[in-house]
Amino acid sequence: MHYPGSIKKEYKKNANYANRGMDLESELNISNEYYLNNNRALIYKKPTPIGIVSVDYKQAIITKAYFKTPSTLDYNGLYKGKYIEFEAKESLSKTSFPLNNFHEHQIIHIKKAIQHGGIVFIIIRMNGNTYLLKGSDFQNYLEKNKRKSIPYTYIEEKGKIIKDGITPRLDYLSIVDEIYFKEEENGK
Amino acid sequence: MHYPGSIKKEYKKNANYANRGMDLESELNISNEYYLNNNRALIYKKPTPIGIVSVDYKQAIITKAYFKTPSTLDYNGLYKGKYIEFEAKESLSKTSFPLNNFHEHQIIHIKKAIQHGGIVFIIIRMNGNTYLLKGSDFQNYLEKNKRKSIPYTYIEEKGKIIKDGITPRLDYLSIVDEIYFKEEENGK
């Protein structure tokens, strides 16, 4: 059974932000909060999709629900007038990033979102680094290789390292600027 | 206690699509499905935000959870390379649209999303019609009037009627084209 990453996070509310061992999702959440408060971007984590089976309406409590499979990526929003969407994953394997991290619908969605002009990417934490891999590079690998994982060498070659910081914790938008907005700013 | 609209919908899975009495949310969901299948746009309803309290991991069932207050609007996605976001509400009152339909965070979010270049609007079903009201018209009314509702006359004046159809059921993107893309297509 695959559990969405956010569930474990619910129990980590009191996590210390200064803690170097913070997980990727928490680091992205505080980075997005920083972007929001500084009016740089509006990017949110989507709620975990669930199916509600029963509700205690008196107490306003859900008493039974199940996890649904997501069709889109975990984060989406608006940056410099553009649609942005991404997924974030930590890989325990040091040699390859397993593709069973993604549902089939999500892979189709990535392709479509690129076609429709969205900025789409994957954030992968692996071997102690945090990489931003363009959706098109992810897509290209999948189409050319019928493998169940992406080798770390490919992620190292194509991905860009997102530097650790304090404010924001993970400044992934500076990589987005570099990849997606540099040409525009130079008048192409 | 305010319940997100989607909860009631969970029990309506077998609703007949031909039924004229279908509610606004279901009509939007099938319209979005149509847009998706015809590769016209990628627009999804966001899952209801919940806080998970306890999970039976053996059965993969959530046994206790509560409803969270949303900070963003219900639907968002990507259309013609642009970020799109909207909320949909049915009003039982015939004379005015109550603003307690919106949380404070959502109202701030609407303002920000417009500032960041998003296409933002409200879909309001009222007096048998379905209106698309531009986010900026919604915003303007709120800033100029310290009232707790928007009079129907304002919605009639500023809103555009979304026609009922079969495929798609509610072709709101044709109104979006008219409002947001007409100028661009004419070369401004």
Side-chain angles (χ1 to χ4, degrees):
Chain A
M1 180 67 201
H2 170 87
Y3 291 104
S6 57
I7 291 150
K8 283 173 280 167
K9 309 305 134 23
E10 294 292 328
Y11 303 101
K12 288 196 180 177
K13 279 189 184 150
N14 300 315
N16 179 358
Y17 284 169
N19 176 8
R20 297 294 298 173
M22 212 187 334
D23 63 28
L24 182 57
E25 184 181 320
S26 306
E27 292 188 19
L28 286 168
N29 289 345
I30 59 163
S31 302
N32 289 338
E33 228 173 279
Y34 174 85
Y35 289 142
L36 184 69
N37 293 338
N38 288 274
N39 217 22
R40 194 158 161 214
L42 302 181
I43 298 161
Y44 286 89
K45 184 172 187 300
K46 285 195 176 184
T48 305
I50 61 154
I52 294 170
V53 180
S54 60
V55 175
D56 176 341
Y57 282 100
K58 267 192 197 161
Q59 292 193 71
I61 282 174
I62 298 159
T63 50
K64 193 173 182 186
Y66 59 91
F67 299 108
K68 283 183 172 176
T69 307
S71 308
T72 61
L73 308 187
D74 265 359
Y75 298 83
N76 82 353
L78 177 58
Y79 179 51
K80 292 185 178 173
K82 299 274 187 189
Y83 179 87
I84 199 165
E85 180 164 354
F86 64 95
E87 186 76 20
K89 297 285 181 197
E90 300 193 51
S91 171
L92 293 175
S93 158
K94 291 176 188 296
T95 52
S96 64
F97 175 71
L99 291 170
N100 63 6
N101 273 312
F102 289 85
H103 301 285
E104 203 194 325
H105 275 295
Q106 290 179 311
I107 288 173
I108 296 167
H109 181 76
I110 290 169
K111 191 175 181 176
K112 284 194 175 184
I114 296 168
Q115 282 171 352
H116 283 261
I119 293 174
V120 186
F121 52 87
I122 320 290
I123 291 178
I124 299 168
R125 176 160 292 170
M126 200 168 171
N127 290 328
N129 286 323
T130 311
Y131 296 91
L132 188 152
L133 184 68
K134 280 173 72 173
S136 53
D137 287 329
F138 177 81
Q139 188 62 35
N140 281 343
Y141 186 86
L142 263 61
E143 285 185 356
K144 287 183 191 150
N145 303 275
K146 297 285 165 206
R147 291 173 63 181
K148 286 182 178 171
S149 62
I150 301 179
Y152 180 58
T153 49
Y154 186 83
I155 292 165
E156 254 191 318
E157 184 203 331
K158 298 282 185 183
K160 299 246 180 201
I161 289 181
I162 302 167
K163 282 186 197 130
D164 268 7
I166 296 169
T167 51
R169 179 55 182 247
L170 282 176
D171 190 15
Y172 66 87
L173 287 181
S174 69
I175 309 287
V176 169
D177 281 341
E178 215 177 283
I179 298 176
Y180 298 95
F181 290 94
K182 216 167 186 176
E183 284 183 12
E184 279 187 20
E185 276 158 18
N186 296 338
K188 282 222 170 170
Chain B
M1 180 66 200
H2 170 87
Y3 292 104
S6 57
I7 291 149
K8 284 173 279 166
K9 310 302 134 23
E10 294 293 328
Y11 304 100
K12 289 197 179 177
K13 279 188 184 152
N14 299 316
N16 179 358
Y17 284 169
N19 176 10
R20 297 295 296 174
M22 211 187 335
D23 62 28
L24 182 57
E25 184 180 321
S26 307
E27 291 188 19
L28 285 168
N29 288 344
I30 58 163
S31 302
N32 288 338
E33 228 174 279
Y34 175 86
Y35 290 142
L36 184 69
N37 294 338
N38 288 274
N39 217 22
R40 193 156 162 215
L42 302 181
I43 298 161
Y44 285 89
K45 184 171 186 302
K46 285 195 177 184
T48 305
I50 62 154
I52 294 170
V53 179
S54 60
V55 174
D56 176 342
Y57 283 100
K58 266 192 196 160
Q59 292 193 71
I61 283 174
I62 298 158
T63 50
K64 193 173 182 185
Y66 58 92
F67 299 108
K68 282 184 173 175
T69 307
S71 308
T72 61
L73 307 187
D74 265 359
Y75 297 84
N76 83 353
L78 177 59
Y79 179 51
K80 292 185 178 173
K82 299 274 188 189
Y83 179 87
I84 199 165
E85 180 164 356
F86 64 95
E87 185 77 19
K89 296 285 182 197
E90 301 192 51
S91 171
L92 294 174
S93 159
K94 290 176 189 297
T95 52
S96 64
F97 176 71
L99 290 170
N100 62 8
N101 273 312
F102 289 85
H103 302 286
E104 204 194 325
H105 276 296
Q106 290 179 311
I107 288 174
I108 297 167
H109 180 77
I110 290 168
K111 191 175 180 176
K112 284 194 175 184
I114 296 168
Q115 282 171 353
H116 283 261
I119 293 174
V120 186
F121 52 88
I122 320 290
I123 291 179
I124 299 168
R125 176 160 292 171
M126 200 168 172
N127 291 327
N129 286 323
T130 311
Y131 296 90
L132 188 153
L133 184 67
K134 280 172 71 172
S136 54
D137 287 330
F138 178 81
Q139 188 62 35
N140 282 342
Y141 186 86
L142 262 62
E143 285 184 357
K144 288 182 190 150
N145 304 274
K146 298 284 168 206
R147 291 173 63 180
K148 285 182 178 170
S149 62
I150 301 178
Y152 180 57
T153 49
Y154 185 83
I155 292 164
E156 254 191 316
E157 185 203 330
K158 298 283 186 183
K160 299 248 180 200
I161 289 179
I162 302 167
K163 283 186 197 129
D164 268 7
I166 296 169
T167 51
R169 178 57 180 245
L170 282 176
D171 190 15
Y172 66 87
L173 286 182
S174 69
I175 308 287
V176 169
D177 280 341
E178 215 177 281
I179 297 176
Y180 297 95
F181 290 95
K182 216 166 186 177
E183 285 183 11
E184 280 187 19
E185 277 159 18
N186 296 338
K188 281 216 174 174

